Amino acid sequence: MTPNAQSPMEQRVLHHRTGPLLVLGAAGTGKTTLMVDLVATRIAEGLDPSQVLLLASSRRAGVELRDRVAARVGRTIREPLARTAHSYAFGLLRRHAVVGGEPPPRLLAAAEQEVMIREILASPSSAWPEPLRPALQTRMLAAQLRDFMPRVLERDVSPDDLARLGRRHERPLWAAVAAFVDEYAGVTALAHPSAYDPAELVRAAVHLLRDDPALLAAERLERTLVVVDDLDEADPALLDLLEVLAGGGTTLVATADPDS
């Protein structure tokens, strides 16, 4: 892409109206500025800011994007125009719970996660390989399990899937971890029925939209324009969320660095 605001490529982005469009460019080529121009242009044309979903790769980037759009349109925008995918997912889950008369969701704190992990490891399953048993009470193993579970959630790998992979590739440790993940999910559901692991939010939102056609239709109608900055940093859960949201022809514009 080029920095010239009148380039044919940028004009194509600004006039894009239906379906997905991917904007590729290296760092510093103005991709983010173009996304700000796109959102500001659509708002100036009459699009309600509430119909724009602008997803950033971090909370800090979201605040910067929101401020830049507000400065570009020359007015304060009350809607949380730019946010992370996790923030959007949490808001969706919260609205759905309120409408259904259910307790609002909350996020599990890291300390709560660690306590539950260490309690489960204190009564270890027989599935753990014998050479690993001396490490079950160490903080390092608990930390590694806490880091591993988000990767499983992001990729929608169930404990059964993980156990099957372990058997297929003769990795007994994978089967043990699968049993642990399954037990952790059960303990979390019992002890904190409305709580979510932060890494679980986007995947939970994807399942909610897929399981509730009416909610999905309403969300697609509400989100006329979906813009994603730095798509190259997306995990599989976010890609699935975008596929669900924009699958009905919603305008989706994303930027990515092909070298990232």
Side-chain angles (χ1 to χ4, degrees), residues 51-132:
Q51 293 181 283
V52 179
L53 177 59
L54 177 52
L55 296 178
S57 57
S58 68
R59 184 179 301 178
R60 181 177 179 179
V63 171
E64 181 181 345
L65 278 171
R66 182 193 64 202
D67 291 345
R68 289 180 64 179
V69 171
R72 179 75 167 72
V73 300
R75 62 186 175 93
T76 300
I77 298 176
R78 294 184 179 180
E79 295 293 328
L81 187 66
R83 66 188 89 174
T84 64
H86 290 82
S87 175
Y88 165 75
F90 185 77
L92 180 66
L93 293 167
R94 182 180 179 83
R95 292 197 308 274
H96 183 263
V98 171
V99 170
E102 301 172 359
R106 71 176 185 87
L107 295 181
L108 283 173
E112 291 178 290
Q113 293 175 282
E114 184 168 347
V115 167
M116 285 191 293
I117 289 173
R118 292 179 68 83
E119 286 179 348
I120 294 172
L121 291 176
S123 302
S125 163
S126 60
W128 290 106
E130 190 62 36
L132 190 64

Side-chain angles (χ1 to χ4, degrees), residues 33-251:
T33 298
L34 182 56
M35 295 304 98
V36 171
D37 288 345
L38 168 63
V39 173
T41 298
R42 293 296 304 276
I43 292 175
E45 292 173 349
L47 184 66
D48 192 302
S50 66
Q51 293 181 283
V52 179
L53 177 59
L54 177 52
L55 296 178
S57 57
S58 68
R59 184 179 301 178
R60 181 177 179 179
V63 171
E64 181 181 345
L65 278 171
R66 182 193 64 202
D67 291 345
R68 289 180 64 179
V69 171
R72 179 75 167 72
V73 300
R75 62 186 175 93
T76 300
I77 298 176
R78 294 184 179 180
E79 295 293 328
L81 187 66
R83 66 188 89 174
T84 64
H86 290 82
S87 175
Y88 165 75
F90 185 77
L92 180 66
L93 293 167
R94 182 180 179 83
R95 292 197 308 274
H96 183 263
V98 171
V99 170
E102 301 172 359
R106 71 176 185 87
L107 295 181
L108 283 173
E112 291 178 290
Q113 293 175 282
E114 184 168 347
V115 167
M116 285 191 293
I117 289 173
R118 292 179 68 83
E119 286 179 348
I120 294 172
L121 291 176
S123 302
S125 163
S126 60
W128 290 106
E130 190 62 36
L132 190 64
R133 288 180 175 274
L136 293 179
Q137 298 308 308
T138 64
R139 286 186 175 273
M140 181 60 70
L141 179 60
Q144 289 181 346
L145 287 170
R146 187 156 64 86
D147 290 340
F148 173 78
M149 285 190 291
R151 308 292 81 80
V152 173
L153 292 169
E154 290 165 358
R155 287 156 178 78
D156 204 19
V157 177
S158 71
D160 288 343
D161 294 334
L162 187 57
R164 278 194 293 270
L165 287 170
R167 290 191 295 270
R168 182 186 308 163
H169 298 282
E170 299 182 350
R171 300 274 185 164
L173 176 58
W174 294 3
V177 173
F180 170 84
V181 172
D182 191 38
E183 186 173 358
Y184 176 86
V187 169
T188 302
L190 286 173
H192 308 280
S194 60
Y196 287 89
D197 185 302
E200 187 183 6
L201 287 174
V202 177
R203 182 60 64 188
V206 171
H207 289 311
L208 176 62
L209 290 171
R210 284 177 174 167
D211 293 342
D212 191 333
L215 176 63
L216 175 58
E219 198 64 14
R220 285 176 173 175
L221 186 64
E222 177 69 18
R223 307 296 172 182
T224 305
L225 174 63
V226 179
V227 179
V228 186
D229 202 24
D230 295 326
L231 184 66
D232 46 275
E233 298 186 23
D235 58 41
L238 174 55
L239 296 179
D240 285 348
L241 177 64
L242 295 176
E243 181 180 1
V244 171
L245 277 178
T250 298
T251 304

